[in-house]
Amino acid sequence: MSEELKQEGGFGSSLALLDALGIGPVWVRRELAVEEVVAAATIENSVVEVVESQPAVASVNEPVTQAAPAAATLPAPAPTPRPAAAPVAVPPRRTAPIEDDGGPPSWLDEMDFAASMETMPIPDSEDEDEALAVDPVIARVAAMDWPALKQQVADCRRCGLCQGRKNTVFGVGDEKAKWLFIGEGPGRNEDMQGEPFVGPAGKLLDNMLAAMGVKRGDNAYIANIVKCRPTDENGRDRPPSPQEVAACLPYLQRQIALIQPTVLVALGKTAALALLGLDPSTPVSRLRGTVHRYQDLPLVVTYHPAYLLRTLNDKSKAWADLCLAMSTYQAQPR
C-alpha cells in the first residue's frame, strides 16, 4: 500500500490531500461532471425560451419606408400573428446501459427486491456441526486446497444455476491477499469470461481499489457469493435465491480460510446479508458505517459498484466506507 495513504488522519481521509498528491479517487468525482452537463443544458434552454418570448425588433440595417400623403393612405393590414415559439426539449439524462450492453442490471436497486426475498438459511459457526451432518459435501470442501477447490467449483451441480452457465466464476487475485472483496454473483460478462467484475462495474471497482492503494491481483482477492450466473426465465440477471446462496457459500468459506485476509469488504446487499445472516429487508444504509465481524474477521459493508453506476450521488458514501475499511486495516495487528 502506498506510503502517501498512511499519513495522519487515516487512509484517504482527506480528498484534498489525495488530489494534491495526484492520486485522488476519480471515481468519486464522476457525478460532478454529470451535474455540470445537466446544469449547463438547463441554463441554455432557459435562455432560448426567454429570447423566443421577446418581441421582434427591426434591424438597424432595414430601409425605412417614407409615409405616403394622408389622402392616399390606405388602411394598414392587420399584423400577422407570430407563431409561438416551439418549446425546446431538455435532453434526457443518460441512464446506465442495460445488461445486454454489459452494464449494471436494471434490478440492481438496493430496495427493489428487499421485500420479495425470504430469509436466507445460512449456517453460521455456531451450528456448523449440524450443517456438516446434513451436508457431507461441506466437510469435504472444508479440507480442500486451492487446486481441489477450483476443480470442485468447476464440476459443481449443487443447484440449478449449473444448467444455464457458460463458465463458473471462481474468483481472482492474490491467494494470500490482505483484502478480500466479495460481490453477489456473476453477470453476463463474468459468465462469458469466467472472471468476476469484468464489465463496467469491474472498471469502477478497479478505480476504487486504486484509490485505496491496492489493485486486482496485488494484495487483493475478488470473489462472489455464488459462482454461477443467476438468470430469470427471460435470461436476464437476477439476485440469487437463498437456496442458491446456501449451496454455494461453503466454497466462499473455504476461500476465506485459505486466503486468511485481514479485512473483508462486502459489495452490495446480497453479499452483506449472506455473510452476516441478516433479515433480507435490512437495507445497506443500516449496515454502513459499522465494522461487523465474520468469523472473527472485520467486515465492512458498502454499495455494489453496479449500484453506484446507477446512483452516482452515493459514490461519496462508498468512498467513506472504503476509508473506514482502510482505517480498520491499519488498526489490525500484523
Side-chain angles (χ1 to χ4, degrees):
M1 185 172 296
S2 59
E3 291 297 324
E4 291 86 349
L5 293 179
K6 299 181 180 178
Q7 300 299 322
E8 182 178 357
F11 297 148
S13 59
S14 172
L15 293 179
L17 174 59
L18 291 176
D19 289 338
L21 296 175
I23 57 174
V26 296
W27 58 275
V28 177
R29 300 288 195 267
R30 184 180 296 179
E31 71 268 19
L32 299 182
V34 174
E35 292 172 358
E36 291 175 0
V37 171
V38 174
T42 303
I43 295 174
E44 180 180 353
N45 291 329
S46 300
V47 173
V48 171
E49 291 176 358
V50 171
V51 172
E52 293 283 1
S53 63
Q54 297 297 324
V57 180
S59 171
V60 294
N61 296 323
E62 250 183 53
V64 180
T65 305
Q66 297 292 334
T73 300
L74 297 176
T80 303
R82 191 167 183 263
V88 179
V90 178
R93 186 171 181 175
R94 295 185 61 188
T95 58
I98 61 175
E99 302 100 310
D100 291 341
D101 293 332
S106 58
W107 51 261
L108 192 57
D109 189 317
E110 297 298 343
M111 298 303 294
D112 281 348
F113 52 87
S116 63
M117 293 180 62
E118 55 186 293
T119 303
M120 293 184 178
I122 300 173
D124 54 26
S125 57
E126 295 179 357
D127 55 11
E128 184 176 355
D129 293 338
E130 180 181 351
L132 291 175
V134 174
D135 191 348
V137 175
I138 297 178
R140 297 199 302 269
V141 170
M144 289 179 177
D145 58 9
W146 281 110
L149 184 61
K150 292 176 182 178
Q151 188 62 47
Q152 175 71 26
V153 169
D155 298 335
C156 182
R157 297 291 186 272
R158 286 170 57 80
C159 72
L161 294 182
C162 63
Q163 299 175 4
R165 73 188 180 204
K166 290 183 175 62
N167 292 289
T168 56
V169 182
F170 181 80
V172 66
D174 184 354
E175 295 178 353
K176 293 298 181 183
K178 299 301 182 182
W179 289 95
L180 176 56
F181 297 85
I182 303 171
E184 174 181 281
R188 184 177 65 89
N189 289 329
E190 290 80 5
D191 180 55
M192 294 177 63
Q193 300 185 36
E195 182 175 332
F197 289 94
V198 295
K203 294 179 181 178
L204 177 56
L205 178 59
D206 288 341
N207 288 339
M208 295 165 69
L209 297 181
M212 298 172 65
V214 298
K215 62 182 179 181
R216 186 185 298 241
D218 184 7
N219 202 29
Y221 195 93
I222 304 172
N224 283 316
I225 292 294
V226 297
K227 309 302 186 186
C228 298
R229 179 192 181 193
T231 57
D232 59 19
E233 62 275 7
N234 297 318
R236 298 173 67 87
D237 291 339
R238 62 166 175 81
S241 70
Q243 293 74 24
E244 292 161 352
V245 170
C248 213
L249 195 63
Y251 301 139
L252 177 63
Q253 291 173 333
R254 184 55 182 163
Q255 286 176 302
I256 295 174
L258 289 171
I259 296 171
Q260 297 182 354
T262 301
V263 177
L264 306 179
V265 178
L267 301 170
K269 180 173 183 174
T270 300
L273 297 183
L275 293 170
L276 298 175
L278 298 177
D279 186 271
S281 63
T282 306
V284 169
S285 59
R286 287 180 53 186
L287 303 177
R288 294 180 53 253
T290 301
V291 179
H292 305 273
R293 308 296 296 187
Y294 176 78
Q295 297 182 354
D296 295 329
L297 295 174
L299 168 66
V300 174
V301 177
T302 190
Y303 295 111
H304 193 285
Y307 170 79
L308 295 176
L309 290 176
R310 293 166 52 84
T311 314
L312 301 179
N313 290 336
D314 282 343
K315 285 186 177 182
S316 59
K317 298 179 182 178
W319 176 240
D321 298 334
L322 297 184
C323 290
L324 173 61
M326 289 185 286
S327 298
T328 302
Y329 175 87
Q330 188 180 37
Q332 297 303 305
R334 289 187 295 276

